[in-house]
Amino acid sequence: QLVESGGGSVRGGGSLRLSCAASGFTFPRSCMAWFRQIPGQKREAVATIDTDGMATYRDSVKGRFTISKDEDENVLYLQMGMLRPEDTAMYYCAARGGPCSWLGTDYAFRGQGTQVTVS
């Protein structure tokens, strides 16, 4: 199970930190990722973090977002800064037992998501 939180409404340039509480699987041995989706559009990967802690980001968020995890607490984070209106979306966390991937179909999405709105 994945439970996302931390979304909200902010002005452009603002910051938010998303959290994802994970349970029911081996968190330290999973690739974890954040995806986002705008209604009517495909879900897109935002950032991934592998079992060694190596992170990757989509180009549009590089330098503004940071993905991290706390393996003791089984929590995934996404620190978002310098937010832009185009970052507005529902954000989901996802887990994968294999290597990290940028394909949404490679992940199990078990959470309800958390809405981020940037004006």
Side-chain angles (χ1 to χ4, degrees), residues 59-94:
D59 287 345
S60 63
V61 308
K62 283 180 181 176
R64 301 189 298 121
F65 291 11
T66 302
I67 189 172
S68 63
K69 58 182 176 176
D70 183 336
E71 293 185 345
D72 292 331
E73 299 295 328
N74 280 10
V75 180
L76 178 72
Y77 299 101
L78 185 68
Q79 179 69 49
M80 305 188 296
M82 295 183 284
L83 283 162
R84 305 168 180 169
E86 53 264 38
D87 295 318
T88 295
M90 184 72 78
Y91 283 71
Y92 300 89
C93 63

Side-chain angles (χ1 to χ4, degrees), residues 8-118:
S9 296
V10 297
R11 292 180 180 269
S15 300
L16 284 172
R17 189 175 81 154
L18 306 184
S19 299
C20 171
S23 62
F25 64 97
T26 309
F27 185 85
R29 294 207 298 266
S30 300
C31 168
M32 300 297 296
W34 285 98
F35 282 74
R36 64 188 181 189
Q37 187 171 25
I38 300 169
Q41 297 189 20
K42 287 179 63 175
R43 195 171 296 185
E44 63 181 22
V46 175
T48 69
I49 185 165
D50 68 12
T51 55
D52 292 326
M54 181 164 293
T56 60
Y57 301 90
R58 71 181 301 107
D59 287 345
S60 63
V61 308
K62 283 180 181 176
R64 301 189 298 121
F65 291 11
T66 302
I67 189 172
S68 63
K69 58 182 176 176
D70 183 336
E71 293 185 345
D72 292 331
E73 299 295 328
N74 280 10
V75 180
L76 178 72
Y77 299 101
L78 185 68
Q79 179 69 49
M80 305 188 296
M82 295 183 284
L83 283 162
R84 305 168 180 169
E86 53 264 38
D87 295 318
T88 295
M90 184 72 78
Y91 283 71
Y92 300 89
C93 63
R96 185 169 193 263
C100 285
S101 164
W102 283 89
L103 296 176
T105 51
D106 287 341
Y107 289 84
F109 291 90
R110 301 191 185 99
Q112 297 298 310
T114 186
Q115 177 68 39
V116 172
T117 303
V118 185

